[in-house]
Amino acid sequence: MIARVSLEIALRKEFDYSIPAELAGQVDVGSRVQVPFGARKILGVVTAIAEESGHANLKPIIKVIGAQTLVTAKVLKLARWIGEYYCCAPETALKSVLPEAVRKEDASWRERLFLRALPVAGEFPKLPKRQQEVWNIVEERREILLSELVELAETTAATVRKLEDRGLVAITSEISERDPYAKETILASQPLVVNPAQAVALAKIKAAMNRGEAGGLKVEDGKARPSSSILHPPSSTFLLHGVTGSGKTEVYLQAIAHALEKGQGAIVLVPEISLTPQTVERFKARFSSGKLQTLVAVLHSHLSAGERHDEWHKIRQGRARIVIGARSAIFAPVEPLGLIIVDEEHEHTYKQEESPRYHARDVAVMRGQMEGAVVVLGSATPALESFYNCQKGKFTLLELPERVDDQKMPHVRVVDMRQAKRDGKGTPIFSPQLKEAITQRLEKKEQTILFLNRRGYSSSLICEKCGHVCECPNCSLALTYHRPEQLLRCHICNYTEQVPQACPNQKCRNPGIRYSGLGTQKVEDVLGKLFPRARIKRMDADVMKRKEDYRKVLDAFKHGDIDILIGTQMIAKGLHFPNVTLVGIIYADMALHQPDFRAGERTFQLLTQVAGRAGRGDIEGEVFVQAFTPFHPAIQYARRHDFNGFFEQELEFRKQLNYPPFSRVALLTLKGRNEDKVKFSADHLKRGLEKIKLDLKDLILSGPAAAPLARAENLYRYQIMLKTRAMSRLSAALAKITSTLTLPDDVTLAVDIDPVDLG
Ligand code: ADP
Ligand code: ZN
């Protein structure tokens, strides 16, 4: 027998190896193996088993890693699809489906030495003093970790071993699982009585689950489906549209319970930032007891490698049937898989920004189809693409129109900052209306959240005389002034330099330098002067270096030790504070005028989310949105909490410009140190792409053009954008072209299918 192996080094090729007699029966599709490659030993995954090979003199597999196949046949199929659709090397796709902590050759369970007291036969021996002290502890505990005992008794392992020699204790090596949540005490929770809207949603989801495999598409063995099928999933993909607090999570929980009853498992994806202990606890609490009891495994980047290894294997062994995790948890080897939930499905963090550049929501829909699992996408502000898929009948729309507790949506006022500018000298950070509202809250001892999605003090430094802007030497971006450290900092590459005393332009040297544009530090500073007695705290990536910092500030805010919390998008999500009755959005149009067709959608989503932080308690909330383009639809529809209105008008805009969901986009970015070479390569690539047009009639090619961020980390960036309805065919064509394309050594090409970041 021979095994076909995809090697971890990217070669876009698979290689045949013989299976030596001593490994017979241990090698299967999905096994991780070590094989010889030239003089090296390399890891890879078996993708097929065959009787014979077209090649002679095959080298044998050296060894198999792990007792079980690590990549299940189903996940292998998914990886193949990712390689094809997202136009990346199959081995790159395969690599991404296993966490690093599982892939490593020496990855294993942790074994630790346990010590157990043995029954004493006959008379208890007289022990030396030290040994007797140790024994006293053992006698009381009966069973204890050797390391713990050594510490407790302030002794050495050698002394303990003497007890073993006397036959008083047994010391054995055992697996000790690393549980990242071992310290949390979690109280079991019971299902709530659902309200009518939740009941309708649940009934439809359960009905689809009961249809079972029939709902899914059959996938032929070893062959990925044509990727265009992502456009035609059966309607067992649901979009659960409901504002925060409308009870979506309760629907997820009860749908998961249904999967467990059917003997199936579930995967829950949440954005990394929402993977707080509280979120995890809600899922653990529901499934940690009762007759459906199962382990809930958690996969995310804050776990140690050992914890990740153990969590993953609990899933692979079938002991944990529920997985909650960030993006890559979509590859968890849950089997059989009944349900996939993608919470906050519109979040851009579901898109991986390095190869394979997959979108976990779209992969979830694909996996659901392949395995006949029901997929539930949830959001208060669904992605335009997802909502459109409901209109087209590809997804089924489920709505939870009201908050569970009948709370009213906050009252949103849009403040025209052009007015504020006309009234005074220069633009104030706080409009008179917002200032007044803050004053009132301070008097009433209610809390305020102020939002500005930019950290630092001033976003640029400009010479008043010659107009010179201090830019990063590595990136085409103005440097941000950070006041606490008195530094200029690049927000792309983190380059820093001293604040110049005069204009850096040698011909100018004017001492008058103006700080312009604002960041959270300046908001904090000005606010402190306006309200000297208010307790103000800032929350952004500059102050929140560690996870505990985040928790500490939120705890203080919860206990009422902070009056005003200023923050970036870090505070936009999921926070629930009943005493917050005012939210101020300092500069709502900041992201609105960026060269990205999703700028309006992004602004709408962000405003809606931030506004949702107000009025979560008994008192109705108020939101002030300061804007320079107050009549922009994204702002006006957010003001009225009108998702449908926004959707209709945004859809019209996308249609006119033939942007998604009316087409699919592929973005090709060429990068290199030498601008001429990059540009030349881009032109060369463009000529190659023109040929695809013969087969793909609707293909629209634009560029090459300098990227909006024309240079980053010393690399020039040129882009070519392609639009088509038939992305699977385009992906295939791109794979062919890029595999034969010869680029200069120092120019690289990134292919991004369905990009979310056009920068
Ligand atoms: P979402 O996920 O949409 O933000 P949640 O499921 O977290 O909403 O529900 C918000 C709050 O309402 C939670 O505290 C939850 O326990 C409660 N809740 C949800 N559904 C019900 C229900 N049917 N009856 C009573 N309380 C509910
Ligand atoms: Zn830079």
Side-chain angles (χ1 to χ4, degrees):
M1 295 296 270
I2 65 111
R4 190 149 299 153
V5 181
S6 167
L7 302 181
E8 220 161 65
I9 43 174
L11 292 168
R12 287 182 185 270
K13 255 170 92 177
E14 294 181 349
F15 297 86
D16 289 351
Y17 288 89
S18 62
I19 302 173
E22 70 269 20
L23 294 181
Q26 288 180 51
V27 180
D28 208 339
V29 171
S31 295
R32 268 183 66 74
V33 290
Q34 190 185 50
V35 294
F37 190 77
R40 293 195 284 164
K41 292 175 179 174
I42 287 186
L43 294 172
V45 173
V46 175
T47 58
I49 301 279
E51 297 275 335
E52 52 198 278
S53 162
H55 304 271
N57 298 329
L58 296 183
K59 291 190 183 153
I61 288 174
I62 301 169
K63 66 174 174 186
V64 180
I65 317 278
Q68 266 175 312
T69 55
L70 293 184
V71 185
T72 61
K74 284 171 179 163
V75 172
L76 186 61
K77 261 174 230 161
L78 193 63
R80 285 222 159 111
W81 175 78
I82 286 180
E84 287 181 11
Y85 183 77
Y86 291 101
C87 211
C88 70
E91 49 274 8
T92 310
L94 253 178
K95 211 168 157 178
S96 71
V97 303
L98 289 179
E100 172 80 34
V102 173
R103 249 182 13 239
K104 278 192 317 204
E105 191 190 338
D106 56 355
S108 184
W109 298 93
R110 177 180 55 176
E111 297 213 355
R112 298 214 279 183
L113 295 174
F114 278 91
L115 175 139
R116 235 169 246 107
L118 294 174
V120 187
E123 202 174 320
F124 193 80
K126 174 109 185 69
L127 297 174
K129 186 163 166 283
R130 290 299 295 143
Q131 289 181 35
Q132 184 62 47
E133 281 166 11
V134 176
W135 173 255
N136 290 345
I137 296 174
V138 175
E139 197 176 24
E140 190 190 328
R141 295 282 291 267
R142 305 310 295 176
E143 195 180 295
I144 187 170
L145 263 176
L146 179 61
S147 56
E148 197 186 339
L149 177 64
V150 166
E151 205 180 296
L152 256 165
E154 294 174 356
T155 181
T156 59
T159 311
V160 181
R161 289 282 179 192
K162 294 205 178 105
L163 294 179
E164 189 186 25
D165 295 341
R166 289 175 186 269
L168 293 173
V169 302
I171 299 176
T172 49
S173 171
E174 287 170 26
I175 286 176
S176 134
E177 279 177 13
R178 291 156 283 209
D179 178 356
Y181 294 83
K183 289 205 190 80
E184 321 264 336
T185 37
I186 295 171
L187 298 176
S189 82
Q190 297 304 319
L192 302 170
V193 178
V194 290
N195 65 29
Q198 286 173 317
V200 170
L202 256 177
K204 290 195 178 165
I205 294 168
K206 284 189 189 172
M209 291 171 79
N210 293 342
R211 284 201 299 273
E213 284 286 327
L217 299 180
K218 291 279 180 289
V219 180
E220 286 162 45
D221 249 326
K223 253 185 89 187
R225 290 193 51 77
S227 357
S228 64
S229 60
I230 197 162
L231 287 167
H232 307 288
S235 59
S236 47
T237 297
F238 294 92
L239 176 63
L240 184 60
H241 178 207
V243 295
T244 317
S246 59
K248 296 188 295 295
T249 309
E250 186 60 32
V251 172
Y252 304 154
L253 288 165
Q254 298 199 21
I256 295 171
H258 191 66
L260 293 180
E261 275 162 17
K262 292 164 61 69
Q264 299 169 326
I267 296 176
V268 182
L269 298 186
V270 298
E272 182 86 42
I273 192 163
S274 322
L275 257 176
T276 57
Q278 293 91 310
T279 310
V280 173
E281 199 174 295
R282 267 186 94 177
F283 287 84
K284 288 199 174 229
R286 188 63 61 89
F287 302 108
S288 62
S289 67
K291 67 179 193 312
L292 295 174
Q293 182 178 353
T294 182
L295 291 177
V296 176
V298 181
L299 291 174
H300 63 83
S301 60
H302 289 299
L303 303 184
S304 70
E307 287 167 344
R308 247 178 286 179
H309 168 275
D310 292 4
E311 292 291 287
W312 191 91
H313 279 282
K314 284 175 208 167
I315 303 164
R316 181 68 185 96
Q317 294 171 348
R319 286 189 289 141
R321 281 183 296 151
I322 302 171
V323 183
I324 168 162
R327 187 169 61 220
S328 63
I330 191 56
F331 303 115
V334 176
E335 233 169 290
L337 180 63
L339 183 67
I340 308 174
I341 284 158
V342 185
D343 193 29
E344 311 277 6
E345 62 90 28
H346 64 279
E347 275 293 325
H348 289 169
T349 52
Y350 283 127
K351 175 83 174 175
Q352 174 146 301
E353 293 295 357
E354 61 193 54
S355 190
R357 294 183 167 75
Y358 67 90
H359 196 303
R361 180 235 296 141
D362 298 341
V363 175
V365 172
M366 193 58 192
R367 183 164 182 189
Q369 284 179 56
M370 285 179 167
E371 298 186 28
V374 166
V375 180
V376 179
L377 313 175
S379 176
T381 50
L384 218 68
E385 287 88 341
S386 301
F387 206 74
Y388 184 70
N389 276 334
C390 293
Q391 285 199 336
K392 292 270 140 191
K394 290 166 193 160
F395 296 175
T396 304
L397 181 64
L398 303 171
E399 293 195 287
L400 301 180
E402 265 140 44
R403 285 185 174 178
V404 169
D405 47 15
D406 267 341
Q407 274 170 2
K408 284 212 205 83
M409 296 303 279
H411 194 86
V412 181
R413 296 172 206 279
V414 178
V415 182
D416 187 345
M417 291 305 275
R418 295 170 306 180
Q419 191 64 38
K421 189 172 180 176
R422 246 173 266 139
D423 294 347
K425 34 179 175 24
T427 315
I429 295 177
F430 300 99
S431 60
Q433 294 95 314
L434 179 55
K435 229 187 296 183
E436 171 59 26
I438 296 175
T439 311
Q440 284 176 12
R441 294 315 183 292
L442 289 171
E443 277 165 12
K444 287 194 271 185
K445 304 226 176 314
E446 292 169 14
Q447 289 170 302
T448 298
I449 288 181
L450 296 176
F451 176 83
L452 177 70
N453 209 4
R454 186 156 60 201
R455 60 199 172 89
Y457 195 88
S458 302
S459 50
S460 60
L461 229 66
I462 302 172
C463 169
E464 302 227 279
K465 207 156 140 203
C466 76
H468 175 93
V469 176
C470 292
E471 275 200 1
C472 173
N474 312 318
C475 311
S476 54
L477 195 77
L479 294 168
T480 302
Y481 171 50
H482 284 249
R483 183 126 142 186
E485 311 104 295
Q486 286 290 328
L487 281 175
L488 297 181
R489 185 185 292 280
C490 172
H491 283 187
I492 296 279
C493 72
N494 240 348
Y495 163 88
T496 55
E497 65 179 40
Q498 297 297 318
V499 180
Q501 297 306 310
C503 173
N505 179 356
Q506 290 303 333
K507 291 199 191 106
C508 177
R509 304 302 295 165
N510 165 39
I513 285 184
R514 190 159 48 89
Y515 293 89
S516 99
L518 72 153
T520 42
Q521 288 174 5
K522 189 164 180 180
V523 174
E524 182 183 23
D525 199 34
V526 173
L527 194 70
K529 288 184 186 130
L530 285 174
F531 303 102
R533 277 204 293 273
R535 294 163 302 170
I536 301 167
K537 207 61 187 183
R538 173 163 59 91
M539 206 154 137
D540 57 28
D542 292 325
V543 274
M544 301 291 125
K545 299 266 189 250
R546 288 163 309 156
K547 236 176 126 197
E548 305 93 81
D549 299 338
Y550 186 75
R551 186 123 108 200
K552 250 189 235 157
V553 174
L554 290 185
D555 279 346
F557 196 50
K558 193 147 119 207
H559 291 127
D561 302 336
I562 297 169
D563 299 313
I564 306 174
L565 185 65
I566 304 167
T568 53
Q569 61 190 14
M570 219 176 237
I571 62 169
K573 264 168 222 116
L575 306 183
H576 177 108
F577 299 107
N579 200 33
V580 173
T581 59
L582 174 66
V583 167
I585 296 167
I586 303 293
Y587 183 7
D589 12 27
M590 196 161 76
L592 206 49
H593 307 294
Q594 279 168 5
D596 183 331
F597 67 89
R598 289 195 182 91
E601 181 181 23
R602 231 169 263 191
T603 297
F604 176 84
Q605 289 168 343
L606 200 60
L607 293 187
T608 306
Q609 268 174 10
V610 178
R613 303 302 117 229
R616 305 300 303 272
D618 299 331
I619 316 164
E620 197 180 334
E622 203 176 19
V623 180
F624 283 82
V625 177
Q626 302 191 140
F628 290 91
T629 44
F631 298 106
H632 191 284
I635 294 177
Q636 284 299 324
Y637 286 113
R639 177 176 77 78
R640 296 199 291 268
H641 310 287
D642 182 1
F643 176 83
N644 290 306
F646 176 75
F647 174 79
E648 288 306 329
Q649 95 94 38
E650 182 69 13
L651 202 66
E652 192 50 42
F653 156 75
R654 301 277 182 96
K655 190 172 189 173
Q656 277 167 18
L657 297 174
N658 193 29
Y659 274 124
F662 297 96
S663 68
R664 296 196 148 219
V665 171
L667 189 66
L668 312 187
T669 305
L670 291 123
K671 295 182 213 166
R673 278 173 189 276
N674 180 320
E675 185 171 12
D676 289 336
K677 278 195 199 171
V678 176
K679 202 159 173 295
F680 175 83
S681 308
D683 288 331
H684 174 63
L685 175 60
K686 169 85 178 277
R687 282 192 295 277
L689 293 170
E690 295 284 357
K691 292 180 202 130
I692 309 180
K693 272 179 130 168
L694 299 173
D695 286 339
L696 264 174
K697 293 281 180 267
D698 78 334
L699 185 71
I700 299 172
L701 269 167
S702 43
L709 181 64
R711 196 159 68 106
E713 301 181 68
N714 254 323
L715 301 176
Y716 289 89
R717 300 148 52 86
Y718 273 76
Q719 293 180 331
I720 299 174
M721 189 189 265
L722 301 95
K723 286 190 268 185
T724 177
R725 279 164 180 274
M727 184 51 86
S728 57
R729 282 168 60 198
L730 177 58
S731 294
L734 283 176
K736 216 182 264 170
I737 288 188
T738 53
S739 66
T740 56
L741 181 75
T742 43
L743 291 172
D745 276 351
D746 47 356
V747 176
T748 59
L749 168 67
V751 178
D752 193 352
I753 307 291
D754 302 333
V756 298
D757 181 3
L758 303 182

PDB file of all heavy atoms in Angstrom, residues 671-689:
ATOM      1  N   LYS A 671       3.547  43.529  -3.913  1.00  0.00           N
ATOM      2  CA  LYS A 671       4.335  44.325  -2.974  1.00  0.00           C
ATOM      3  C   LYS A 671       5.821  44.152  -3.221  1.00  0.00           C
ATOM      4  O   LYS A 671       6.268  43.057  -3.549  1.00  0.00           O
ATOM      5  CB  LYS A 671       4.075  43.859  -1.538  1.00  0.00           C
ATOM      6  CG  LYS A 671       2.672  44.076  -1.064  1.00  0.00           C
ATOM      7  CD  LYS A 671       2.555  43.617   0.379  1.00  0.00           C
ATOM      8  CE  LYS A 671       1.174  43.053   0.624  1.00  0.00           C
ATOM      9  NZ  LYS A 671       1.071  42.310   1.866  1.00  0.00           N
ATOM     10  N   GLY A 672       6.554  45.232  -3.022  1.00  0.00           N
ATOM     11  CA  GLY A 672       8.006  45.141  -3.165  1.00  0.00           C
ATOM     12  C   GLY A 672       8.678  46.443  -2.783  1.00  0.00           C
ATOM     13  O   GLY A 672       8.032  47.487  -2.694  1.00  0.00           O
ATOM     14  N   ARG A 673      10.003  46.364  -2.578  1.00  0.00           N
ATOM     15  CA  ARG A 673      10.745  47.547  -2.152  1.00  0.00           C
ATOM     16  C   ARG A 673      10.960  48.545  -3.274  1.00  0.00           C
ATOM     17  O   ARG A 673      11.103  49.732  -3.046  1.00  0.00           O
ATOM     18  CB  ARG A 673      12.116  47.128  -1.611  1.00  0.00           C
ATOM     19  CG  ARG A 673      12.040  46.671  -0.202  1.00  0.00           C
ATOM     20  CD  ARG A 673      13.356  46.105   0.290  1.00  0.00           C
ATOM     21  NE  ARG A 673      13.112  45.505   1.584  1.00  0.00           N
ATOM     22  CZ  ARG A 673      13.111  46.192   2.713  1.00  0.00           C
ATOM     23  NH1 ARG A 673      13.369  47.477   2.721  1.00  0.00           N
ATOM     24  NH2 ARG A 673      12.833  45.587   3.860  1.00  0.00           N
ATOM     25  N   ASN A 674      11.027  48.011  -4.489  1.00  0.00           N
ATOM     26  CA  ASN A 674      11.312  48.868  -5.623  1.00  0.00           C
ATOM     27  C   ASN A 674      10.010  49.169  -6.373  1.00  0.00           C
ATOM     28  O   ASN A 674       9.404  48.289  -6.957  1.00  0.00           O
ATOM     29  CB  ASN A 674      12.315  48.146  -6.526  1.00  0.00           C
ATOM     30  CG  ASN A 674      12.686  48.965  -7.736  1.00  0.00           C
ATOM     31  OD1 ASN A 674      11.841  49.624  -8.347  1.00  0.00           O
ATOM     32  ND2 ASN A 674      13.954  48.928  -8.085  1.00  0.00           N
ATOM     33  N   GLU A 675       9.615  50.427  -6.337  1.00  0.00           N
ATOM     34  CA  GLU A 675       8.305  50.780  -6.889  1.00  0.00           C
ATOM     35  C   GLU A 675       8.199  50.441  -8.383  1.00  0.00           C
ATOM     36  O   GLU A 675       7.170  49.928  -8.839  1.00  0.00           O
ATOM     37  CB  GLU A 675       8.008  52.262  -6.664  1.00  0.00           C
ATOM     38  CG  GLU A 675       6.604  52.617  -7.117  1.00  0.00           C
ATOM     39  CD  GLU A 675       6.172  54.012  -6.732  1.00  0.00           C
ATOM     40  OE1 GLU A 675       7.029  54.803  -6.312  1.00  0.00           O
ATOM     41  OE2 GLU A 675       4.964  54.289  -6.848  1.00  0.00           O
ATOM     42  N   ASP A 676       9.263  50.699  -9.144  1.00  0.00           N
ATOM     43  CA  ASP A 676       9.205  50.419 -10.578  1.00  0.00           C
ATOM     44  C   ASP A 676       8.973  48.945 -10.853  1.00  0.00           C
ATOM     45  O   ASP A 676       8.175  48.571 -11.707  1.00  0.00           O
ATOM     46  CB  ASP A 676      10.509  50.862 -11.260  1.00  0.00           C
ATOM     47  CG  ASP A 676      10.600  52.385 -11.314  1.00  0.00           C
ATOM     48  OD1 ASP A 676       9.524  53.029 -11.269  1.00  0.00           O
ATOM     49  OD2 ASP A 676      11.724  52.914 -11.371  1.00  0.00           O
ATOM     50  N   LYS A 677       9.667  48.112 -10.097  1.00  0.00           N
ATOM     51  CA  LYS A 677       9.499  46.666 -10.288  1.00  0.00           C
ATOM     52  C   LYS A 677       8.077  46.224  -9.951  1.00  0.00           C
ATOM     53  O   LYS A 677       7.506  45.381 -10.626  1.00  0.00           O
ATOM     54  CB  LYS A 677      10.476  45.902  -9.394  1.00  0.00           C
ATOM     55  CG  LYS A 677      11.871  45.773  -9.961  1.00  0.00           C
ATOM     56  CD  LYS A 677      12.613  44.707  -9.168  1.00  0.00           C
ATOM     57  CE  LYS A 677      14.108  44.827  -9.330  1.00  0.00           C
ATOM     58  NZ  LYS A 677      14.817  43.935  -8.397  1.00  0.00           N
ATOM     59  N   VAL A 678       7.545  46.792  -8.881  1.00  0.00           N
ATOM     60  CA  VAL A 678       6.189  46.420  -8.473  1.00  0.00           C
ATOM     61  C   VAL A 678       5.199  46.819  -9.563  1.00  0.00           C
ATOM     62  O   VAL A 678       4.328  46.041  -9.959  1.00  0.00           O
ATOM     63  CB  VAL A 678       5.816  47.106  -7.133  1.00  0.00           C
ATOM     64  CG1 VAL A 678       4.370  46.800  -6.756  1.00  0.00           C
ATOM     65  CG2 VAL A 678       6.745  46.640  -6.022  1.00  0.00           C
ATOM     66  N   LYS A 679       5.369  48.022 -10.064  1.00  0.00           N
ATOM     67  CA  LYS A 679       4.460  48.541 -11.082  1.00  0.00           C
ATOM     68  C   LYS A 679       4.585  47.718 -12.372  1.00  0.00           C
ATOM     69  O   LYS A 679       3.593  47.337 -12.982  1.00  0.00           O
ATOM     70  CB  LYS A 679       4.847  49.999 -11.357  1.00  0.00           C
ATOM     71  CG  LYS A 679       3.745  50.815 -11.956  1.00  0.00           C
ATOM     72  CD  LYS A 679       4.020  52.293 -11.705  1.00  0.00           C
ATOM     73  CE  LYS A 679       3.032  53.160 -12.441  1.00  0.00           C
ATOM     74  NZ  LYS A 679       3.120  53.078 -13.879  1.00  0.00           N
ATOM     75  N   PHE A 680       5.807  47.436 -12.736  1.00  0.00           N
ATOM     76  CA  PHE A 680       6.060  46.647 -13.931  1.00  0.00           C
ATOM     77  C   PHE A 680       5.414  45.262 -13.800  1.00  0.00           C
ATOM     78  O   PHE A 680       4.744  44.772 -14.707  1.00  0.00           O
ATOM     79  CB  PHE A 680       7.572  46.523 -14.142  1.00  0.00           C
ATOM     80  CG  PHE A 680       7.940  45.622 -15.275  1.00  0.00           C
ATOM     81  CD1 PHE A 680       7.944  46.086 -16.583  1.00  0.00           C
ATOM     82  CD2 PHE A 680       8.267  44.286 -15.042  1.00  0.00           C
ATOM     83  CE1 PHE A 680       8.268  45.247 -17.632  1.00  0.00           C
ATOM     84  CE2 PHE A 680       8.589  43.444 -16.083  1.00  0.00           C
ATOM     85  CZ  PHE A 680       8.591  43.923 -17.386  1.00  0.00           C
ATOM     86  N   SER A 681       5.601  44.634 -12.633  1.00  0.00           N
ATOM     87  CA  SER A 681       5.018  43.309 -12.409  1.00  0.00           C
ATOM     88  C   SER A 681       3.501  43.363 -12.474  1.00  0.00           C
ATOM     89  O   SER A 681       2.858  42.446 -12.992  1.00  0.00           O
ATOM     90  CB  SER A 681       5.421  42.766 -11.036  1.00  0.00           C
ATOM     91  OG  SER A 681       6.804  42.826 -10.863  1.00  0.00           O
ATOM     92  N   ALA A 682       2.934  44.435 -11.944  1.00  0.00           N
ATOM     93  CA  ALA A 682       1.480  44.575 -11.953  1.00  0.00           C
ATOM     94  C   ALA A 682       0.965  44.689 -13.386  1.00  0.00           C
ATOM     95  O   ALA A 682      -0.034  44.058 -13.747  1.00  0.00           O
ATOM     96  CB  ALA A 682       1.061  45.786 -11.127  1.00  0.00           C
ATOM     97  N   ASP A 683       1.668  45.454 -14.207  1.00  0.00           N
ATOM     98  CA  ASP A 683       1.260  45.580 -15.613  1.00  0.00           C
ATOM     99  C   ASP A 683       1.354  44.234 -16.325  1.00  0.00           C
ATOM    100  O   ASP A 683       0.488  43.857 -17.104  1.00  0.00           O
ATOM    101  CB  ASP A 683       2.150  46.602 -16.329  1.00  0.00           C
ATOM    102  CG  ASP A 683       1.840  48.025 -15.870  1.00  0.00           C
ATOM    103  OD1 ASP A 683       0.678  48.281 -15.490  1.00  0.00           O
ATOM    104  OD2 ASP A 683       2.762  48.865 -15.867  1.00  0.00           O
ATOM    105  N   HIS A 684       2.424  43.524 -16.027  1.00  0.00           N
ATOM    106  CA  HIS A 684       2.656  42.207 -16.616  1.00  0.00           C
ATOM    107  C   HIS A 684       1.523  41.249 -16.230  1.00  0.00           C
ATOM    108  O   HIS A 684       0.960  40.544 -17.066  1.00  0.00           O
ATOM    109  CB  HIS A 684       4.012  41.704 -16.122  1.00  0.00           C
ATOM    110  CG  HIS A 684       4.339  40.308 -16.516  1.00  0.00           C
ATOM    111  ND1 HIS A 684       4.491  39.932 -17.825  1.00  0.00           N
ATOM    112  CD2 HIS A 684       4.541  39.198 -15.767  1.00  0.00           C
ATOM    113  CE1 HIS A 684       4.774  38.647 -17.873  1.00  0.00           C
ATOM    114  NE2 HIS A 684       4.812  38.172 -16.641  1.00  0.00           N
ATOM    115  N   LEU A 685       1.183  41.262 -14.964  1.00  0.00           N
ATOM    116  CA  LEU A 685       0.099  40.398 -14.475  1.00  0.00           C
ATOM    117  C   LEU A 685      -1.220  40.772 -15.144  1.00  0.00           C
ATOM    118  O   LEU A 685      -1.997  39.912 -15.553  1.00  0.00           O
ATOM    119  CB  LEU A 685      -0.009  40.527 -12.947  1.00  0.00           C
ATOM    120  CG  LEU A 685      -1.158  39.796 -12.264  1.00  0.00           C
ATOM    121  CD1 LEU A 685      -1.085  38.292 -12.525  1.00  0.00           C
ATOM    122  CD2 LEU A 685      -1.136  40.035 -10.748  1.00  0.00           C
ATOM    123  N   LYS A 686      -1.453  42.059 -15.264  1.00  0.00           N
ATOM    124  CA  LYS A 686      -2.693  42.528 -15.872  1.00  0.00           C
ATOM    125  C   LYS A 686      -2.843  41.977 -17.295  1.00  0.00           C
ATOM    126  O   LYS A 686      -3.921  41.524 -17.686  1.00  0.00           O
ATOM    127  CB  LYS A 686      -2.690  44.062 -15.884  1.00  0.00           C
ATOM    128  CG  LYS A 686      -3.785  44.719 -16.706  1.00  0.00           C
ATOM    129  CD  LYS A 686      -5.063  44.863 -15.919  1.00  0.00           C
ATOM    130  CE  LYS A 686      -6.166  45.557 -16.703  1.00  0.00           C
ATOM    131  NZ  LYS A 686      -6.117  46.999 -16.693  1.00  0.00           N
ATOM    132  N   ARG A 687      -1.753  41.977 -18.045  1.00  0.00           N
ATOM    133  CA  ARG A 687      -1.831  41.454 -19.422  1.00  0.00           C
ATOM    134  C   ARG A 687      -2.209  39.978 -19.417  1.00  0.00           C
ATOM    135  O   ARG A 687      -3.002  39.528 -20.231  1.00  0.00           O
ATOM    136  CB  ARG A 687      -0.507  41.685 -20.147  1.00  0.00           C
ATOM    137  CG  ARG A 687      -0.345  43.125 -20.631  1.00  0.00           C
ATOM    138  CD  ARG A 687       0.833  43.267 -21.599  1.00  0.00           C
ATOM    139  NE  ARG A 687       2.112  42.986 -20.969  1.00  0.00           N
ATOM    140  CZ  ARG A 687       2.806  43.890 -20.239  1.00  0.00           C
ATOM    141  NH1 ARG A 687       2.330  45.099 -20.059  1.00  0.00           N
ATOM    142  NH2 ARG A 687       3.961  43.562 -19.705  1.00  0.00           N
ATOM    143  N   GLY A 688      -1.675  39.245 -18.445  1.00  0.00           N
ATOM    144  CA  GLY A 688      -2.029  37.832 -18.324  1.00  0.00           C
ATOM    145  C   GLY A 688      -3.508  37.670 -17.994  1.00  0.00           C
ATOM    146  O   GLY A 688      -4.191  36.787 -18.515  1.00  0.00           O
ATOM    147  N   LEU A 689      -4.002  38.552 -17.150  1.00  0.00           N
ATOM    148  CA  LEU A 689      -5.390  38.449 -16.705  1.00  0.00           C
ATOM    149  C   LEU A 689      -6.376  38.770 -17.830  1.00  0.00           C
ATOM    150  O   LEU A 689      -7.477  38.232 -17.870  1.00  0.00           O
ATOM    151  CB  LEU A 689      -5.638  39.406 -15.529  1.00  0.00           C
ATOM    152  CG  LEU A 689      -4.898  39.076 -14.228  1.00  0.00           C
ATOM    153  CD1 LEU A 689      -5.036  40.218 -13.229  1.00  0.00           C
ATOM    154  CD2 LEU A 689      -5.429  37.781 -13.619  1.00  0.00           C
TER     155      LEU A 689
END
